[in-house]
Amino acid sequence: AQSVTQPDIHITVSEGASLELRCNYSYGATPYLFWYVQSPGQGLQLLLKYFSGDTLVQGIKGFEAEFKRSQSSFNLRKPSVHWSDAAEYFCAVATDYSGGGADGLTFGKGTHLIIQP
Amino acid sequence: NAGVTQTPKFQVLKTGQSMTLQCAQDMNHEYMSWYRQDPGMGLRLIHYSVGAGITDQGEVPNGYNVSRSTTEDFPLRLLSAAPSQTSVYFCASSYSPGGSTGELFFGEGSRLTVL
């Protein structure tokens, strides 16, 4: 069964510093991978996605992620964080529930990002 | 555009009561889904639909019913609420026929408390 592990429950970063959020997945074939962000009291918004091709994908808000098959990882990075980046971040992998192809997402438990001034 | 609209935003139920969480989208998306979010658990898929008249179960379907009579609406029904169903519920839709291979658009959530 597919699974996603986000090892860090909380991460604190100073404003202007670089950021890396870790994500490891378990999936037999080539995965479809996603990063979503959730601001307090809001729904989730897609930051970026990986389906195939270039292993370094660019997203919105200056985020990028790198797919590493050998490490089963899809880590999210940002070179310089802003106070507005404080939020909950979720990694997800497309999942086959019906046996007919990917039809839902399996999410990690999330990483809470705190930005220090 | 309204996007994905969920109602109500907050609800308190007593054990054994029934209720329906409403979800409507105005993007003409074929794929719609319901997730629940619990502290430290991330989001888990309850039910999903790939089009009107078609529904299927996700990871945690027990205690919930769904139907999809129109493209726009995908209500989630709790027939006999239990305290274990206290959670925040999110409806999400997508243009992609496969649902998970495209961007999911989420509603703002419905916070349900079962006493």
Side-chain angles (χ1 to χ4, degrees):
Chain A
Q2 293 92 336
S3 66
V4 175
T5 302
Q6 294 180 244
D8 303 305
I9 298 174
H10 300 278
I11 281 188
T12 300
V13 178
S14 298
E15 190 170 15
S18 62
L19 170 70
E20 182 169 31
L21 302 182
R22 296 183 291 165
C23 172
N24 294 99
Y25 66 90
S26 172
Y27 191 74
T30 300
Y32 295 157
L33 295 162
F34 306 80
W35 274 99
Y36 280 84
V37 61
Q38 183 182 31
S39 298
Q42 300 297 312
L44 280 71
Q45 180 184 23
L46 179 69
L47 283 176
L48 46 79
K49 59 190 177 187
Y50 171 78
F51 289 169
S52 64
D54 194 346
T55 57
L56 184 65
V57 293
Q58 302 296 321
I60 63 171
K61 305 185 181 185
F63 286 93
E64 67 178 26
E66 186 172 13
F67 171 64
K68 294 184 176 180
R69 184 187 300 276
S70 61
Q71 299 178 18
S72 297
S73 68
F74 188 56
N75 294 348
L76 182 71
R77 300 195 295 248
K78 187 171 185 178
S80 177
V81 297
H82 186 262
W83 64 266
S84 60
D85 293 324
E88 192 84 15
Y89 291 80
F90 293 95
C91 183
V93 63
T95 300
D96 182 354
Y97 287 95
S98 65
D103 43 26
L105 293 180
T106 297
F107 284 86
K109 296 182 179 181
T111 297
H112 185 61
L113 177 62
I114 301 166
I115 307 296
Q116 282 184 335
Chain B
N1 288 341
V4 178
T5 302
Q6 292 182 232
T7 56
K9 294 192 184 312
F10 301 94
Q11 183 71 49
V12 179
L13 290 178
K14 295 181 179 179
T15 297
Q17 287 184 320
S18 63
M19 78 156 300
T20 299
L21 298 177
Q22 302 291 345
C23 176
Q25 52 92 8
D26 61 359
M27 297 174 282
N28 202 32
H29 287 169
E30 291 294 328
Y31 178 88
M32 297 185 73
S33 56
W34 277 102
Y35 288 83
R36 60 177 290 173
Q37 182 178 28
D38 302 294
M41 295 294 292
L43 283 81
R44 292 178 291 170
L45 182 64
I46 305 171
H47 285 284
Y48 64 96
S49 168
V50 297
I54 307 169
T55 64
D56 211 336
Q57 298 180 350
E59 181 183 354
V60 288
N62 293 342
Y64 306 95
N65 282 348
V66 292
S67 60
R68 184 92 179 273
S69 57
T70 67
T71 299
E72 294 79 19
D73 301 300
F74 190 45
L76 179 71
R77 298 184 184 85
L78 287 72
L79 297 181
S80 179
S84 61
Q85 294 177 303
T86 293
S87 188
V88 181
Y89 292 86
F90 287 96
C91 180
S93 70
S94 174
Y95 65 87
S96 167
S100 56
T101 54
E103 178 177 359
L104 278 177
F105 293 83
F106 283 82
E108 293 187 345
S110 298
R111 183 176 295 274
L112 175 66
T113 301
V114 183
L115 302 175

